[in-house]
Amino acid sequence: MTEKTFIKGKDSDLETSIETMQNKLKSFGFEVEEASWLNPVANCYSVHIKDPTCGLMFTNGKGATRKACLASALGEYFERLSCNYFFADFYLGQQVSESEFVHYPNEKWFIHDGETMPDGLMDESLWDHFDPERELTPNQLFDMNSGAGERGICAAPYHRVRDGKDIYIPINVIANVFVSNGMSAGNTQNEARVQGLSEVFERYVKNKIIAEGICLPEVPAEVLARFPKIEAACRELESHGYHLRIADASLGGRYPVMSVTLINPKDGSVFASFGAHPSFEVALERTVTELLQGRSLDQLNVFQPPSFESEEIASAHNIELHFIDSSGVISYDFFKDQPDYEFVDWDFDADTATEYQTLVDLIHEMGFDIYISDYRHLNVYACRILVPGMSDIYPVDEILWNNNNDGALFREALLTLPDLSNEELAEVLEGLNEGGYNDALSAAEFIGIAPDPGTLWADMRIGELKALIALAIEDESAIDWVNWVLHLEQINEENIRKYRCLLALLEIKWDPEREYQPYLKSLALMYGQAQVQSCLEIVEGRLRFDGLHCPGLSLQGFNLHQKLIEGYQKLQRAKQKNWS
């Protein structure tokens, strides 16, 4: 008789869930391997799974057992495939961009004149949230995955739960504001939706607690004793010298959220983990396993001590750090002796249909609307849930001031740099300077390309790109940008020698009282004859973009990116076959 393991919050046994998901991945041509496992303390497992042909397609799972952990990782893999999240930051190539649909068969393209927002896109309440001052133009809402806005604005329909209306929301808005928040996959629709809404609650309440420095009530020992496996994991972690604060984050029994904070007495650093689910037990277990997901015990000394800088703690940047890797700062007020709320022994545990309705009702009582897009094209139910004003990860003004599609406007030019005239290169440099982009941002990330390790694209920042362009057109600003590169912390020894040599030659070049010849012998001793000769060719504009792979929009030779696109093509075929 085959063993069947059921856990709270799941509508199927773990063995069936794992086998079903693994078989369905194979049926669509996806390979997944278990790359690494961690079990730092009892009843706390985490696993890293990935596509062996494309490491960019990966997820991490967590759980109190190996099976629960693997089911978690596979579920997350399906949610990220179903919601296209593995590919959200990348250009999908010319073939996909020109195909019948880019993201989903039910997408809609809104054509515009560049000035007036097209009819049928969002509604007044959503515009009030995402663009309250009506500053956005249609040209800012194209998705970065399909080009530079040639086809218009791509939007996907989302079902508003409160009134049953379907609303078209731009892919650009979703990518810029919500990132991965609210995505989920599950054995049933209700199971997945409960998980997605729980994640929304977890991050909303976590952000509120951190930003406001709320002190939470600790869970009484007698309550923790009801969950011996969770208690055992916590006690083992404490035996390694850490202190734990296990707390009720429901803010008076209102929200289904728990918190566990690790205090490292070796350096005074702290790390707050949060978890949410209608079941008190599940929420607490998820909080503990989240604390150690992907971390061994020797990786718990990378966090920061608390602070009294309330503005810094509440800043959007700090809250974003807590979302990305929990490395943000926490207030000392979070650790006061007297909590701001009384402990509540809450529990909304029920069947998943009831739990889903409970969470929906609570969000509606809070004054927010829920928008859901359902996906079944991989034969596993998945969904993406948006709750504007509650599930936002980045501020809405990111769409205006830090839009992820900015780099798409430079993509074709940067991928054809050696073919551009000096005048065209000067225009590109001017555009990069005027755009106010972060010079330390990866140039490949900026244009949505996955670079191959060991190539110039893998390490190049926008500032270095500016240096190469300025060198190519013999612009005096090259000195400033070469200096900028030399101050990069991650620059390797080989590039240090190269850019120091370039700087010396540039300073000679632009000094009317100096010539190259008297310095060449000494420079050769410092940097090598071949390096000096190559750099001399560069500063004189005769050797442009040496070693920089620029195949144009075909992306030929970007092997990792091509593997990513191959993965997306498998998804497209699944959508064409199974969409309903």
Side-chain angles (χ1 to χ4, degrees):
M1 184 175 179
T2 305
E3 180 186 0
K4 299 290 184 182
T5 308
F6 291 87
I7 62 174
K8 276 191 174 184
K10 299 298 179 185
D11 287 334
S12 179
D13 62 276
L14 295 175
E15 292 78 12
T16 300
S17 296
I18 291 169
E19 184 179 6
T20 299
M21 287 189 283
Q22 287 175 332
N23 290 339
K24 287 181 178 178
L25 283 173
K26 289 177 183 176
S27 73
F28 291 109
F30 291 105
E31 296 180 63
V32 173
E33 65 177 12
E34 297 165 30
S36 64
W37 279 90
L38 287 171
N39 176 210
V41 298
N43 309 314
C44 278
Y45 292 84
S46 65
V47 64
H48 177 80
I49 65 173
K50 66 175 184 178
D51 184 324
T53 67
C54 183
L56 294 171
M57 297 170 62
F58 71 89
T59 58
N60 298 300
K62 62 181 184 292
T65 66
R66 286 181 69 92
K67 289 179 181 178
C69 182
L70 182 56
S72 165
L74 289 167
E76 186 171 298
Y77 208 91
F78 266 95
E79 80 180 34
R80 298 196 172 210
L81 281 176
S82 299
C83 298
N84 295 341
Y85 189 70
F86 287 137
F87 316 91
D89 296 327
F90 300 103
Y91 175 53
L92 295 173
Q94 290 175 302
Q95 183 178 344
V96 172
S97 300
E98 296 169 2
S99 59
E100 181 183 356
F101 64 90
V102 173
H103 300 276
Y104 295 106
N106 64 348
E107 70 192 22
K108 186 173 181 179
W109 290 84
F110 290 81
I111 309 304
H112 56 85
D113 60 8
E115 298 297 328
T116 306
M117 287 295 178
D119 293 334
L121 194 62
M122 299 204 285
D123 68 2
E124 200 69 14
S125 66
L126 287 174
W127 284 116
D128 286 344
H129 177 68
F130 293 113
D131 187 24
E133 302 300 323
R134 300 301 191 267
E135 297 173 274
L136 289 171
T137 66
N139 288 327
Q140 292 170 297
L141 292 183
F142 70 88
D143 65 296
M144 61 87 69
N145 315 102
S146 64
E150 298 89 347
R151 292 180 65 171
I153 301 170
C154 185
Y158 276 74
H159 184 77
R160 186 160 57 203
V161 175
R162 189 190 297 272
D163 58 13
K165 289 184 177 179
D166 289 333
I167 309 290
Y168 280 91
I169 302 177
I171 298 294
N172 173 288
V173 169
I174 298 166
N176 273 294
V177 176
F178 299 100
V179 203
S180 64
N181 202 17
M183 300 190 317
S184 185
N187 295 293
T188 65
Q189 176 174 296
N190 285 323
E191 178 192 309
R193 288 184 172 187
V194 167
Q195 171 59 27
L197 288 176
S198 294
E199 186 177 87
V200 168
F201 271 105
E202 173 194 323
R203 289 167 178 163
Y204 174 78
V205 174
K206 172 183 178 178
N207 292 349
K208 177 180 176 65
I209 289 168
I210 290 172
E212 298 178 17
I214 296 172
C215 181
L216 302 175
E218 294 192 50
V219 176
E222 61 272 19
V223 174
L224 186 61
R226 296 206 305 256
F227 315 109
K229 290 185 178 180
I230 300 173
E231 185 180 37
C234 294
R235 296 297 169 249
E236 185 175 342
L237 191 53
E238 289 175 332
S239 74
H240 289 279
Y242 300 104
H243 303 305
L244 293 182
R245 285 189 55 150
I246 304 166
D248 165 28
S250 69
L251 303 186
R254 183 164 173 76
Y255 306 112
V257 185
M258 298 298 293
S259 170
V260 177
T261 305
L262 181 142
I263 301 171
N264 187 347
K266 295 177 183 177
D267 58 10
S269 62
V270 296
F271 164 38
S273 173
F274 290 79
H277 191 271
S279 162
F280 183 102
E281 179 180 3
V282 174
L284 181 56
E285 180 184 286
R286 287 182 177 176
T287 309
V288 174
T289 54
E290 173 71 23
L291 186 73
L292 293 169
Q293 179 173 294
R295 298 183 180 96
S296 57
L297 292 178
D298 60 1
Q299 293 175 311
L300 296 174
N301 351 324
V302 294
F303 300 104
Q304 300 187 60
S307 169
F308 284 114
E309 297 292 336
S310 56
E311 288 189 13
E312 178 194 354
I313 293 166
S315 70
H317 175 67
N318 190 57
I319 298 300
E320 289 163 18
L321 288 176
H322 279 285
F323 167 73
I324 295 168
D325 59 8
S326 299
S327 64
V329 183
I330 299 172
S331 174
Y332 273 111
D333 291 330
F334 184 77
F335 299 95
K336 290 185 301 186
D337 289 340
Q338 184 63 41
D340 294 310
Y341 291 86
E342 294 294 324
F343 171 78
V344 176
D345 195 359
W346 58 269
D347 209 336
F348 307 108
D349 187 20
D351 61 89
T352 52
T354 303
E355 289 176 344
Y356 168 66
Q357 194 58 52
T358 297
L359 296 179
V360 168
D361 292 343
L362 178 53
I363 290 174
H364 285 164
E365 287 172 16
M366 295 164 67
F368 298 110
D369 271 314
I370 302 166
Y371 297 80
I372 303 180
S373 185
D374 299 314
Y375 304 113
R376 296 182 175 86
H377 51 279
L378 295 178
N379 297 329
V380 168
Y381 175 82
C383 62
R384 189 168 198 157
I385 301 175
L386 313 177
V387 188
M390 182 178 178
S391 69
D392 308 18
I393 294 299
Y394 292 103
V396 295
D397 61 9
E398 293 273 303
I399 307 171
L400 186 65
W401 300 113
N402 193 27
N403 202 303
N404 75 346
N405 67 13
D406 286 339
L409 302 173
F410 294 88
R411 184 184 291 133
E412 186 169 9
L414 298 188
L415 290 172
T416 55
L417 285 172
D419 302 324
L420 301 183
S421 67
N422 280 7
E423 291 74 18
E424 290 169 325
L425 288 171
E427 289 179 6
V428 172
L429 183 59
E430 183 181 5
L432 290 172
N433 284 328
E434 290 182 351
Y437 310 115
N438 180 0
D439 291 319
L441 178 66
S442 161
E445 179 184 339
F446 182 59
I447 61 174
I449 300 298
D452 293 305
T455 63
L456 292 182
W457 282 107
D459 297 317
M460 187 169 62
R461 308 288 157 170
I462 290 177
E464 184 175 1
L465 186 64
K466 291 179 180 180
L468 297 182
I469 297 173
L471 285 163
I473 61 177
E474 299 183 74
D475 189 279
E476 280 192 73
S477 68
I479 290 180
D480 296 328
W481 290 115
V482 166
N483 251 318
W484 183 91
V485 174
L486 284 168
H487 284 86
L488 274 178
E489 289 184 3
Q490 70 269 26
I491 188 171
N492 59 44
E493 289 185 7
E494 183 180 348
N495 274 344
I496 288 175
R497 289 194 300 273
K498 175 183 175 181
Y499 278 97
R500 282 178 177 172
C501 185
L502 284 171
L503 182 60
L505 291 170
L506 284 170
E507 289 177 335
I508 294 170
K509 176 185 176 76
W510 295 108
D511 188 332
E513 297 181 1
R514 287 190 170 88
E515 296 181 355
Y516 296 123
Q517 193 58 45
Y519 302 94
L520 295 181
K521 183 183 292 186
S522 294
L523 286 173
L525 292 174
M526 298 172 193
Y527 305 112
Q529 184 63 47
Q531 180 81 280
V532 172
Q533 190 56 45
S534 172
C535 287
L536 193 56
E537 293 287 301
I538 291 172
V539 298
E540 285 298 301
R542 295 191 292 269
L543 182 61
R544 308 194 321 167
F545 308 108
D546 183 37
L548 188 65
H549 181 60
C550 294
L553 293 179
S554 72
L555 305 182
Q556 292 179 358
F558 281 100
N559 299 321
L560 180 59
H561 198 99
Q562 293 293 352
K563 289 291 184 183
L564 196 69
I565 292 177
E566 286 174 19
Y568 195 74
Q569 293 285 17
K570 294 174 188 176
L571 273 184
Q572 294 294 82
R573 289 192 289 272
K575 294 168 192 170
Q576 289 170 333
K577 180 181 178 181
N578 296 330
W579 194 266
S580 59

